[in-house]
Amino acid sequence: MRDGSYVRAVTDASFDLAAGECLALVGESGCGKSVLASALLGLLPANASVAGSAVLGDAGSGAGGLDLLAADERVLAREVRGRRVGLVPQSPAAHLTPVRTVRSHLDETVRALTGTTGPDGVRAAAGRAAFPEDHLDRHPHQLSGGLAQRAATALALVGDASLLLADEPTTGLDRDLVERTVDELRRHTGDHRALLLITHDLAAAGRIADRVAVMYAGRLVETTGAAAFFGAPGPRHPYARGLLNALPERDFAPVPGLPPELGALPEGCAFAPRCDRASEACGTVPELTSGVACHHVAVARA
């Protein structure tokens, strides 16, 4: 930061994602979900640094894969973004050029990624995201938040990328369009493509996810199958259980307190100040073991 301090926005995040699979990354705002997605595409600000690896392989290729974190800007721009990794951005209006229409955006993207031209390709691309044809000649500032979201989704689907990063793709949509949008994203995976769904909408995640990863204060605190997460036995981490119990169809009880600032994390388990099961053991950071990072896993499952 400007004062010379460092903020660890994401720490020790480790997971895999197979072709044909949807992984839902969930957690409160500010926990590092979008930072993780931006790191994979080399879209972090200039003052950010990244360590580790993120290997993208093509199903059945037998190749070792491309390390996205080690790739330079030329490779990311010409070979990765849109072609091998698609992105539905969290703030779609900010990613659309304000002086160009949606039709112009789609036409350029279809030509660049598929080599085809003409109105049919644009209409087909718009239709995949339920973007209305009579709005194609509008500029970004003439779109509602939901329409801007659908335009961004349409652009992300054009290249049929092997990995799709969908960062809050249902923001601003009504429930019918939420379900249509996530269903289209799920269909995109097929047998050879993967989907990383970053969302606050647990209902949307429950609809299409195969696995769920819960992030808190920059760390993954639980990874598990979606059936176990939303059904029995349920989440094992107290925070994950709190997120689920906050749903209107569950207890409708919010997780008490607020998440910590990433620049001022407490010692030990970052969730301990909000946890009714905290003990002296929580003075140390729990390791992610067998899919959960908590000193009270057995109690949390009771």
Side-chain angles (χ1 to χ4, degrees), residues 26-282:
V26 302
E28 292 166 297
S29 295
C31 70
K33 305 186 302 296
S34 296
V35 171
L36 190 151
S38 296
L40 296 177
L41 283 173
L43 297 177
L44 291 174
N47 64 328
S49 60
V50 181
S53 63
V55 179
L56 175 68
D58 292 321
S61 69
L66 171 68
D67 186 348
L68 298 176
L69 302 188
D72 60 27
E73 175 60 24
R74 180 185 178 89
V75 171
L76 291 172
R78 297 193 176 189
E79 301 179 20
V80 176
R81 298 184 192 126
R83 292 173 170 81
R84 298 183 65 182
V85 182
L87 173 67
V88 181
Q90 184 177 27
S91 302
H95 285 72
L96 299 173
T97 304
V99 297
R100 300 179 61 189
T101 64
V102 176
R103 186 188 302 276
S104 176
H105 282 89
L106 283 172
D107 181 61
E108 180 185 50
T109 303
V110 169
R111 282 189 287 108
L113 299 184
T114 71
T116 61
T117 59
D120 290 343
V122 171
R123 284 195 293 266
R128 292 183 68 181
F131 189 90
E133 188 174 336
D134 59 358
H135 285 56
L136 283 171
D137 292 313
R138 294 191 177 189
H139 291 82
H141 73 274
Q142 297 173 305
L143 304 177
S144 66
L147 283 174
Q149 189 70 64
R150 280 183 270 170
T153 300
L155 289 166
L157 292 175
V158 168
D160 285 324
S162 57
L163 172 62
L164 185 64
L165 306 178
D167 191 357
E168 301 291 355
T170 60
T171 300
L173 304 182
D174 61 37
R175 181 47 54 181
D176 288 342
L177 277 175
V178 166
E179 294 179 354
R180 177 168 178 173
T181 298
V182 296
D183 287 348
E184 180 58 53
L185 294 174
R186 177 73 226 201
R187 280 191 291 272
H188 166 85
T189 62
D191 296 325
H192 305 294
R193 305 180 187 95
L195 170 63
L196 178 61
L197 174 67
I198 297 172
T199 185
H200 292 98
D201 190 338
L202 290 178
R207 185 177 178 88
I208 67 168
D210 298 296
R211 290 188 296 137
V212 177
V214 183
M215 181 170 276
Y216 185 78
R219 291 180 179 269
L220 293 179
V221 297
E222 183 166 357
T223 58
T224 187
F229 185 89
F230 292 103
R236 293 175 289 166
H237 195 282
Y239 173 66
R241 292 184 78 89
L243 287 180
L244 204 56
N245 288 337
L247 294 176
E249 60 270 27
R250 303 260 179 160
D251 295 343
F252 204 27
V255 181
L258 295 172
E261 294 289 337
L262 294 178
L265 294 176
E267 295 292 331
C269 175
F271 185 63
R274 305 174 69 185
C275 183
D276 61 2
R277 305 190 187 279
S279 68
E280 291 184 5
C282 302

